[in-house]
Amino acid sequence: MSRCLPSLSSVVCLVFACNGDGETARAHQDADTTGVVPSPRSGFALTFDGRRETIVLFGGSDSANVRLGDTWEWDGMRWLARDITGPSPRSDAQITFDSRRGIIVLFGGITPDGRVGDTWEYDGTAWKQVAIDGPRARSLGAMAFDPGRGRAVLTGGSGPERERLGDTWEWDGERWHLASDEGPAARGAHAMAYDARMERVVLYGGYDGTSTLSDLWRWDGTAWQPVDGGGAPPRLHLALDYDSRRNRLVAFGGFGESGRVGDTWEWDGGSWRQVGTEGPAERAEHEGVFVPSMGFVIFGGIVGQGMAVSERVKVNDLWVWNGMAWAQLSGGSGSPGRS
C-alpha cells in the first residue's frame, strides 16, 4: 500500500510525493529553498536531535577556511540560525545525540589555536561546557551513542601533533572513561553509527596515514570485533548512519582510492550494495544523519576533484535519500576556497 510516512512538519510528503504504485517522485518545492541557510562549509558537526526532531549543525570551515562557531537547526522545512553562545569556532569536532538524556554531546575539534579536548552539551536552548578532562585533544575522530548502554562512544582521530589515534572512550553524561586502547588500527576521518540490528556501535573506513581503509568493526562495550564487510569500498571523510526504518547502514560519498566520489552504498548486515545512481554531486568532508520521518539526510562538504586550497569548492546543499531516490531539500550555492 502506498503511503506518506509521518514526518518532521510533514516534510516527507513535501519532499517525496507518493504515487499510486508506491514509487516516489521528485519533490514539489514547498520546503524553504530560498531563505537563510548556513554558509557553504566543510568539517562541521551534524547530528539529529530525536527529542525535538531537529537536525543540529555546529561550526565547520567556510570557503575562506575560517573556522566557524555558529549553531543551526533544520526543522524539516527551513534552516534556523540560533543566536546563542557555545563552543569556540572549530572544525572536525565529534558529535552525537544522547537519546537517554535528550542531549547533544560535542567533543574536541580543531580551533584557530589548535586541537582541543573540551566537552560540550546542547539541550536545544543553550550550550554548556561540561568537562575539560578526558580524551586527548583531537579532530577527525568519530562518535556514536549506544542507547542500550547509555554511553557516547568516541574512537580515534588526529592528535595535537597530527598523530593518528586508536583509543576508545565513553562518556556517561558525567565523566569520560578510557574503555580500550586496542581494536581497529589508529585512524582519522572514519565514520561511526549505532546499528540497532546488531545492537552495537559500528566503525567504518578512515585513513591510517598510509591507506584509505574499508574495514568494518563493532563495539560491544568491552572490545572491538572485526565484521565481514562484504565488499565495502575504501572511504574516508564520508557520511554514514543507520537507517532504522529499513535496518541497514547507509553511506554516501567521501574520498575513495582516486578522489572524491558521489556514490551511495548500503550494508544489510551481510554485504555492501551500491544503490541510487543519481543524486548529490561527488563530495567529501560533508556529514549525514538518519531522520526516521525522512530518510538519510546529507549536508554540505567539498565537491569536485580540486585538491589545492584555492580549488576546493564548498557547498551548502541539503539532500535526502529515502531508500529509492535522492531529492534536494535546500541550498546549492558554492564557492572556491582562498589560500
Side-chain angles (χ1 to χ4, degrees), residues 23 25 31 44 56 90 107 112 131 158 160 174 177 190 209 254 268 270 282 285 296 336:
E23 296 180 352
F44 47 88
V56 177
R90 65 191 65 192
F107 176 81
S158 179
E174 296 182 356
H177 307 270
H190 49 295
D268 62 7
E282 57 195 17
E285 300 181 54
F296 180 59

Side-chain angles (χ1 to χ4, degrees), residues 223-266:
W224 287 97
Q225 295 97 26
V227 178
D228 183 1
R235 290 288 185 270
L236 71 147
H237 285 306
L238 69 150
L240 174 82
D241 208 352
Y242 182 74
D243 181 336
S244 59
R245 211 170 58 199
R246 298 185 305 121
N247 294 317
R248 61 199 63 209
L249 289 173
V250 183
F252 176 80
F255 269 105
E257 293 181 294
S258 59
R260 298 182 186 96
V261 294
D263 48 2
T264 308
W265 290 78
E266 295 185 343

Side-chain angles (χ1 to χ4, degrees), residues 108-138:
I110 182 166
T111 74
D113 296 321
R115 290 169 178 83
V116 293
D118 49 354
T119 305
W120 292 76
E121 292 187 341
Y122 177 60
D123 62 4
T125 301
W127 285 99
K128 179 182 178 182
Q129 187 172 356
V130 293
I132 56 173
D133 297 325
R136 295 177 61 190
R138 71 191 65 199

